[in-house]
Amino acid sequence: MNIKEEISVVWLKRDLRLQDNEAIFNALSSNKRVLFLYVFEKSLLEDPHYHERHWNFIKQSLVDLNEDLAIYNSKILCVTTEVVTAFNQILNYYSIQSVFSHQETGLLITFNRDKEFKRFCRNYSIEWVENINNGVLRGLLDREDWFEKWEDYMNQPQILNEFQSEKLLTIDEINQLEKSFFVTDLSTPENKKFQRGGTKMAWKYANSFFEDRHKEYMFHISKPALSRKSSSRLSPYIAWGNLSIRQVFQKAQTVKTEHNKRHLGAFISRLRWQAHFIQKFEMEHTMENASINKGYHKLKKSISTEYKSAWIEGKTGFPLVDASMRCLNETGYLNFRMRSLLVSFFTHILWQPWQEATHHLSQMFLDFEPGIHFPQLQMQAAETGINNIRIYNPVKNSLEHDEDATFIKEWIPELKNLPLAFIHEHYLMTPLDQQFNNFELGVDYPYPIVNAKFARKKASEILWNLRNDPEVVHESAKILLKHTLKDRTRMLRNE
């Protein structure tokens, strides 16, 4: 009788790195040879939150990891199937003693997948060890002292993994395994408009930011064009785990001095809030589909396919909104303020439910992270009840943050030859102005799809009235109880 070798499996998900990865550390310490596995799950490939750009980024990250593992005569088994099916196939060749992965704060579909996998492991007497990811804690009832616990985690020594060929399944052995699978092709099309995945590329961005680009961080943070250079651009590498938050946090602390304290201090603060929102989503997963403040469930908004299509295509007639959407569609990146503008415009000016924005934005954001996505959607839609109601004025933001229209000209070329004043407010052109500039309103570029001044006033009145509703007030109080006193103060001030 053929006795199967006992192995440990590292199930890679949103932790596509070799260092400061506790799942890998635990597997290497298991005294069993290790197989690295990534499953392109059919259910996720078809999920409307994801897009080809995400899978390409993941593939590039896996190629990067395989380059490093090749030194140890190993590689990652990359297959397209469902997770339980993949492990069932592996069991035909090996006896799986333990599976190591991180606790994923993801969509409902991944939560249900994990419950199914837990049952599978129990049925086959497989130990499944999940580790904390980026300081996000599972099972918290409130966030009292959470920031302190998170900072303690961030200041702990990084996990340094040491690899030895004899501890890993070999490339030949994995090639044999592949014969029983639909192996995923890791090749990706060349597209210089998107950031490329992988830990090596992540550190290139990180090093250039900490060495030089951070010097303009706070000066340009709200500027849609300038922020593309002065921002760290690390969000996709953090979202897909090419870098751990701890690696980035400690690097920032190392290079922070009195000369750059303001810029890197603000950057570190945003790392804290990034983890804070993921922790919030971990504790309030229902916000994927419904407003966390139940009082807002009574807020009714009719869905307009016309408005939604114009918003998605960048043809609303509001130049900064349209430039932002077109830029996001083409590059997968947009600075925070313009992301907020897109959501505020959709939910307030167009008066559409935030749920109708969910899929397009998650598909377009290269750095799609569920724990950031849904809390931010609800916050910008002003449906939490604990933040100030902020309804972005698209024209005011255009004049203040793209004053020379550099960003608008790049992404809306049909406006670039107009005088600067008309680029921001093209609808003010008289027939004579149009004739003089060889431009026709409604043909070369749309009229504004709605009256923004009227729409903002109406949205503000409805939201302020609803905010005083007893149910909304009650739910807001319940939400705030889950935060520390310091946390509550910051959120009420909307800082």
Side-chain angles (χ1 to χ4, degrees):
M1 182 177 176
N2 219 0
I3 299 177
K4 298 175 184 175
E5 178 187 354
E6 287 189 351
I7 65 169
S8 294
V9 178
V10 174
W11 175 16
L12 294 167
K13 296 188 278 184
R14 284 177 173 260
D15 58 339
L16 301 176
R17 63 183 180 275
L18 296 182
Q19 296 301 334
D20 204 29
N21 189 323
E22 189 176 352
I24 295 177
F25 178 84
N26 290 336
L28 294 175
S29 304
S30 68
N31 295 319
K32 303 293 180 184
R33 289 204 301 158
V34 176
L35 169 67
F36 295 99
L37 171 69
Y38 189 90
V39 183
F40 288 85
E41 301 164 69
K42 291 181 179 179
S43 52
L44 291 185
L45 292 171
E46 297 170 357
D47 188 273
H49 291 93
Y50 292 96
H51 187 270
E52 182 185 11
R53 63 188 61 184
H54 300 136
W55 307 118
N56 285 339
F57 191 91
I58 290 168
K59 289 176 182 179
Q60 292 158 6
S61 302
L62 293 168
V63 168
D64 184 69
L65 292 178
N66 279 338
E67 289 175 357
D68 293 334
L69 289 172
I71 300 171
Y72 306 100
N73 190 32
S74 191
K75 67 177 184 177
I76 301 165
L77 176 63
C78 300
V79 299
T80 301
T81 185
E82 297 297 349
V83 170
V84 169
T85 304
F87 278 91
N88 262 320
Q89 285 292 91
I90 296 170
L91 283 172
N92 290 327
Y93 297 86
Y94 297 95
S95 175
I96 301 174
Q97 182 190 54
S98 303
V99 176
F100 299 93
S101 70
H102 72 269
Q103 293 177 347
E104 183 177 5
T105 302
L107 300 167
L108 180 60
I109 189 173
T110 59
F111 177 71
N112 289 334
R113 182 249 355 246
D114 285 352
K115 289 196 296 184
E116 180 187 2
F117 185 69
K118 190 172 185 178
R119 288 192 295 269
F120 169 83
C121 289
R122 187 168 56 245
N123 291 339
Y124 284 88
S125 299
I126 297 171
E127 178 190 34
W128 182 20
V129 180
E130 294 182 279
N131 59 268
I132 293 172
N133 185 40
N134 288 329
V136 175
L137 304 173
R138 182 163 290 175
L140 282 186
L141 298 178
D142 61 58
R143 285 185 281 278
E144 197 69 33
D145 299 326
W146 181 82
F147 272 114
E148 288 77 9
K149 293 174 182 175
W150 182 84
E151 287 208 349
D152 179 65
Y153 180 88
M154 288 300 118
N155 285 304
Q156 291 175 14
Q158 294 178 29
I159 296 171
L160 301 178
N161 291 317
E162 295 183 3
F163 299 88
Q164 297 174 3
S165 299
E166 59 269 23
K167 289 188 176 182
L168 309 176
L169 264 68
T170 67
I171 290 176
D172 286 342
E173 290 169 322
I174 296 171
N175 288 340
Q176 282 298 116
L177 268 176
E178 288 179 343
K179 294 178 180 179
S180 298
F181 287 97
F182 183 86
V183 178
T184 308
D185 180 3
L186 297 183
S187 62
T188 56
E190 184 68 27
N191 191 332
K192 294 183 179 179
K193 292 182 178 179
F194 289 106
Q195 290 176 259
R196 189 170 181 83
T199 296
K200 297 183 191 68
M201 186 61 70
W203 278 116
K204 285 184 179 180
Y205 274 91
N207 291 333
S208 69
F209 175 70
F210 290 122
E211 290 169 8
D212 182 59
R213 292 188 294 110
H214 73 272
K215 297 173 184 176
E216 305 292 328
Y217 181 71
M218 287 302 293
F219 298 146
H220 298 157
I221 196 167
S222 295
K223 306 295 184 182
L226 294 173
S227 64
R228 297 182 72 83
K229 180 180 178 181
S230 60
S231 294
S232 74
R233 303 298 298 274
L234 292 177
S235 56
Y237 302 108
I238 292 172
W240 300 106
N242 293 159
L243 297 175
S244 70
I245 291 278
R246 182 159 54 193
Q247 288 175 309
V248 178
F249 179 89
Q250 292 185 9
K251 177 70 173 180
Q253 292 282 35
T254 300
V255 300
K256 189 175 74 170
T257 66
E258 284 301 316
H259 296 293
N260 60 21
K261 186 175 181 180
R262 179 190 176 196
H263 299 291
L264 289 184
F267 172 75
I268 291 170
S269 176
R270 280 158 177 78
L271 290 179
R272 293 190 187 97
W273 282 102
Q274 193 258 14
H276 163 84
F277 279 113
I278 297 176
Q279 183 68 64
K280 179 189 289 189
F281 185 63
E282 173 69 34
M283 297 168 65
E284 301 283 355
H285 59 88
T286 57
M287 69 172 69
E288 180 178 333
N289 297 306
S291 298
I292 186 174
N293 190 315
K294 296 177 183 177
Y296 285 91
H297 294 183
K298 65 181 69 175
L299 185 62
K300 304 300 180 184
K301 296 181 177 180
S302 299
I303 299 170
S304 167
T305 54
E306 177 192 357
Y307 287 178
K308 184 177 178 181
S309 295
W311 178 75
I312 286 174
E313 295 170 12
K315 296 180 179 179
T316 67
F318 290 88
L320 187 60
V321 173
D322 292 342
S324 296
M325 183 60 83
R326 294 185 193 184
C327 174
L328 177 61
N329 292 346
E330 286 291 317
T331 71
Y333 175 79
L334 200 61
N335 71 330
F336 178 79
R337 189 177 189 89
M338 294 307 109
R339 296 184 189 212
S340 301
L341 172 68
L342 285 179
V343 176
S344 177
F345 182 85
F346 185 79
T347 58
H348 299 140
I349 307 299
L350 300 184
W351 200 242
Q352 298 295 293
W354 62 263
Q355 292 90 337
E356 289 298 305
T358 297
H359 292 155
H360 180 70
L361 290 179
S362 69
Q363 288 175 21
M364 294 300 103
F365 290 142
L366 186 60
D367 57 8
F368 169 55
E369 162 63 70
I372 303 295
H373 188 68
F374 296 102
Q376 281 296 320
L377 272 177
Q378 295 199 27
M379 189 171 79
Q380 301 306 334
E383 293 192 23
T384 64
I386 57 176
N387 298 98
N388 292 329
I389 296 174
R390 178 180 293 178
I391 302 178
Y392 287 80
N393 183 323
V395 177
K396 183 173 181 288
N397 273 268
S398 179
L399 293 167
E400 289 182 357
H401 300 298
D402 191 31
E403 55 272 27
D404 58 1
T406 300
F407 184 70
I408 293 174
K409 288 177 184 177
E410 179 178 0
W411 294 104
I412 310 182
E414 54 265 48
L415 296 178
K416 68 180 180 181
N417 293 323
L418 294 180
L420 183 60
F422 289 145
I423 293 179
H424 293 291
E425 298 178 276
H426 62 288
Y427 50 85
L428 297 180
M429 297 175 73
T430 66
L432 186 59
D433 290 326
Q434 294 177 56
Q435 184 178 1
F436 183 77
N437 288 284
N438 192 29
F439 185 89
E440 186 176 353
L441 281 172
V443 175
D444 294 307
Y445 183 68
Y447 282 100
I449 198 168
V450 294
N451 183 316
K453 185 177 181 180
F454 173 79
R456 289 182 73 240
K457 184 174 184 297
K458 180 181 177 182
S460 180
E461 289 174 352
I462 293 173
L463 291 172
W464 277 113
N465 288 336
L466 187 57
R467 175 148 299 197
N468 295 320
D469 182 283
E471 185 178 359
V472 171
V473 173
H474 176 67
E475 291 296 327
S476 300
K478 285 168 59 179
I479 294 169
L480 281 172
L481 282 175
K482 296 181 180 179
H483 298 266
T484 66
L485 179 60
K486 186 188 296 185
D487 192 4
R488 291 172 209 158
T489 304
R490 285 170 173 164
M491 296 186 77
L492 286 168
R493 290 176 179 171
N494 203 25
E495 293 180 353

